[in-house]
Amino acid sequence: SFGINGSTEWEEKMHEEFGCEVFAFDPTSKLPRDVAPGVTFHEIGLQGDEVDVSKTHSHQYDALDASKLLTLGEIIDQMGHTGRKIDVLRLDCEGCEWGVLKQLACSGESELVEQLMVEMHFQKNLGLSTDEDILTAADAIACLEREHWGVASMEVSGCGPADAQYNELALKI
């Protein structure tokens, strides 16, 4: 689960209800490693293909420390989880989702994942500031479709006042 923002409620529920071994990640949170029963915390974030997440920010934090950002493959290797399936990959990583999804789906690594839960951000300050960023997001969606990923559920969520600027090209996708 990437982008927990100091809260492990969802992660704890996944462990309690389904017996999942849960790993929570967030480069902006300072929590103990064994944050809750069945939940292990890592103070690192996710970096994907072609999007420099260290430059993203929200009204809650400034730019991220690039030394705390790794690709999913690097995290899997570092944890010794090579070859293991990921039952649920949850992304609420404030802008990292586009590069991560592109890397995951376009490389075929999505075979490692059974289910994706993604909060997609369309704001300029959260990874979609340039036309190239928009094209990365479009590539990610195209690759997900090619890999036969589908939408099971969707809901609209508002954004905070500081996050309300959208890239015009993003609104046309």
Side-chain angles (χ1 to χ4, degrees):
S1 180
F2 290 90
I4 63 168
N5 194 25
S7 171
T8 59
E9 183 179 351
W10 183 86
E11 292 76 11
E12 291 176 52
K13 199 69 158 166
M14 288 298 288
H15 174 70
E16 290 167 12
E17 296 291 322
F18 302 106
C20 293
E21 181 180 17
V22 182
F23 300 93
F25 302 86
D26 196 315
T28 67
S29 297
K30 301 228 183 282
L31 298 171
R33 183 169 170 81
D34 296 319
V35 68
V39 181
T40 305
F41 175 72
H42 299 272
E43 192 182 336
I44 55 177
L46 200 51
Q47 174 70 53
D49 207 22
E50 299 179 24
V51 177
D52 184 358
V53 199
S54 68
K55 293 184 171 87
T56 66
H57 62 280
S58 81
H59 63 280
Q60 297 174 336
Y61 58 83
D62 290 325
L64 300 174
D65 177 354
S67 70
K68 292 183 178 182
L69 302 174
L70 301 173
T71 67
L72 184 60
E74 290 169 334
I75 292 169
I76 288 170
D77 289 345
Q78 188 178 79
M79 294 177 68
H81 289 187
T82 304
R84 284 180 64 175
K85 283 277 191 188
I86 299 171
D87 292 315
V88 179
L89 178 59
R90 180 175 177 259
L91 304 176
D92 184 6
C93 50
E94 308 301 310
C96 87
E97 66 273 11
W98 300 114
V100 170
L101 289 173
K102 179 178 179 183
Q103 185 172 354
L104 192 67
C106 295
S107 71
E109 288 179 352
S110 65
E111 292 177 356
L112 299 172
V113 179
E114 295 294 324
Q115 182 176 342
L116 282 168
M117 289 181 62
V118 184
E119 183 172 312
M120 295 180 171
H121 300 89
F122 293 92
Q123 295 97 321
K124 283 183 176 181
N125 61 319
L126 295 177
L128 295 181
S129 58
T130 68
D131 288 352
E132 290 81 24
D133 295 338
I134 304 300
L135 294 174
T136 296
D139 287 345
I141 291 168
C143 288
L144 286 168
E145 288 174 344
R146 254 192 318 278
E147 291 285 314
H148 305 291
W149 284 90
V151 176
S153 175
M154 185 184 327
E155 62 184 67
V156 176
S157 177
C159 65
D163 294 335
Q165 292 185 353
Y166 295 90
N167 187 309
E168 289 301 315
L169 184 59
L171 300 176
K172 295 176 185 173
I173 292 180

